[in-house]
Amino acid sequence: MEERPISDISYEQYLREEKLMGSRCTHCNALYVPPRPICVECRCGDMAWEEMSGKGKLRAFTCIAIGPSFMRAEGYDRNNPYCSGVVELDEGARVDARIEGVDAKNPESIKIGTPLRVKFLHRPEDGPSRTYLAFKPS
Ligand SMILES: [Zn+2]
């Protein structure tokens, strides 16, 4: 794998390529997703890219009825909320992501601990797109 600088820009480039990447501290082994260039545990700057399996479990979530404009543009509103969550990856890092394939209108139907698999959302489909990190039940 080519070496890219450890930055948000590189992370988003990888997302566009459908790779979920983190950075691992070569000194104390701490793992960060999204990647950090400096380890907050030991302040070491010796970080290495690591590709995540894309599997994890739901640790926390919230259902959002009034979101940012790009979510409203996708048709999410008070009558059609979406779910945002914290996913604990199998590798141990925790990452914020959209949670798809769950019933955001019935939050009580969504269970903490649900096994999830990564899904890359390329939006908008026309024009210069960004890729958003999402997960869905596996
Ligand atoms: Zn470290």
Side-chain angles (χ1 to χ4, degrees):
M1 190 179 290
E2 72 196 272
E3 268 311 303
R4 296 181 192 176
I6 293 182
S7 67
D8 290 345
I9 292 168
S10 303
Y11 175 70
E12 288 183 15
Q13 271 176 354
Y14 278 126
L15 286 182
R16 273 198 288 277
E17 296 162 14
E18 307 213 330
K19 288 184 182 137
L20 177 56
M21 301 293 290
S23 69
R24 189 178 291 277
C25 176
T26 58
H27 185 66
C28 76
N29 223 33
L31 178 66
Y32 302 95
V33 184
R36 288 172 182 266
I38 306 280
C39 179
V40 294
E41 295 294 328
C42 71
R43 311 242 162 227
C44 164
D46 235 347
M47 306 293 272
W49 284 111
E50 187 168 311
E51 185 172 359
M52 303 293 105
S53 66
K55 287 183 275 186
K57 286 188 171 65
L58 186 63
R59 280 295 165 236
F61 68 91
T62 176
C63 294
I64 300 167
I66 301 171
S69 57
F70 68 88
M71 294 301 295
R72 291 199 297 274
E74 282 185 37
Y76 292 97
D77 60 22
R78 206 180 291 275
N79 297 316
N80 185 27
Y82 65 96
C83 182
S84 174
V86 178
V87 178
E88 184 177 322
L89 301 173
D90 282 2
E91 290 83 0
R94 288 179 173 217
V95 62
D96 295 324
R98 286 253 302 266
I99 310 298
E100 298 228 316
V102 295
D103 187 358
K105 280 184 190 170
N106 293 300
E108 62 281 358
S109 70
I110 305 172
K111 299 279 180 276
I112 297 297
T114 301
L116 300 170
R117 173 175 289 279
V118 71
K119 181 181 176 185
F120 299 93
L121 299 177
H122 304 287
R123 300 280 166 73
E125 258 117 37
D126 50 343
S129 73
R130 253 198 83 176
T131 303
Y132 296 95
L133 181 62
F135 283 79
K136 61 181 179 186
S138 55

